[in-house]
Amino acid sequence: DAVLDYSIGLEALLTAGIRDELRYRFALRGSTIINWAGGDKQSAFGRLQEFYDIRSALVHGGQVDEVKLSHAHRTGEEALRQIWWWFFDRNESTLEEALLAVENEILS
């Protein structure tokens, strides 16, 4: 249940305004925020894609082994905490404005 709760929170923050390439954009936006001040964006990108894959398996009734589920739990909790605080610390007044800053960072 926690993995799905984390995914709901992350999706609300990271996929607002998009309808296509959800897995890719989820991971791209998330890894950009997690490594806003620098760091290994590629590693975060991979962890978030794996998290999204596990989320999808759970939502669509698939089986996930305990090791992957445990890893997804840690990844989701950590990512939601980091991303949530990034949004709280921003000066933008709306989610859309904050996501525009993310998109601009990706393109720079």
Side-chain angles (χ1 to χ4, degrees):
D1 289 343
V3 171
L4 294 178
D5 290 340
Y6 298 145
S7 72
I8 290 167
L10 287 165
E11 285 181 278
L13 294 171
L14 298 174
T15 63
I18 60 174
R19 302 228 188 284
D20 299 319
E21 301 177 325
L22 291 175
R23 176 182 181 260
Y24 175 78
R25 300 283 296 277
F26 174 92
L28 184 60
R29 284 178 171 180
S31 63
T32 300
I33 292 169
I34 288 170
N35 293 288
W36 193 260
D40 186 4
K41 288 181 185 177
Q42 188 64 36
S43 177
F45 182 83
R47 284 192 313 273
L48 289 170
Q49 280 191 316
E50 183 177 326
F51 175 83
Y52 197 86
D53 291 344
I54 291 168
R55 164 252 177 240
S56 294
L58 293 170
V59 167
H60 299 291
Q63 296 292 322
V64 178
D65 71 49
E66 284 191 44
V67 173
K68 287 184 178 183
L69 192 58
S70 177
H71 181 69
H73 184 276
R74 286 189 307 276
T75 298
E77 182 177 8
E78 179 181 318
L80 183 56
R81 183 177 293 118
Q82 289 176 317
I83 291 167
W84 197 341
W85 279 111
W86 182 89
F87 277 100
F88 283 144
D89 290 340
R90 302 295 300 172
N91 291 325
E92 289 86 1
S93 60
T94 66
L95 175 62
E96 291 77 17
E97 289 175 357
L99 288 173
L100 180 59
V102 173
E103 295 295 325
N104 288 334
E105 179 69 16
I106 290 168
L107 295 173
S108 67

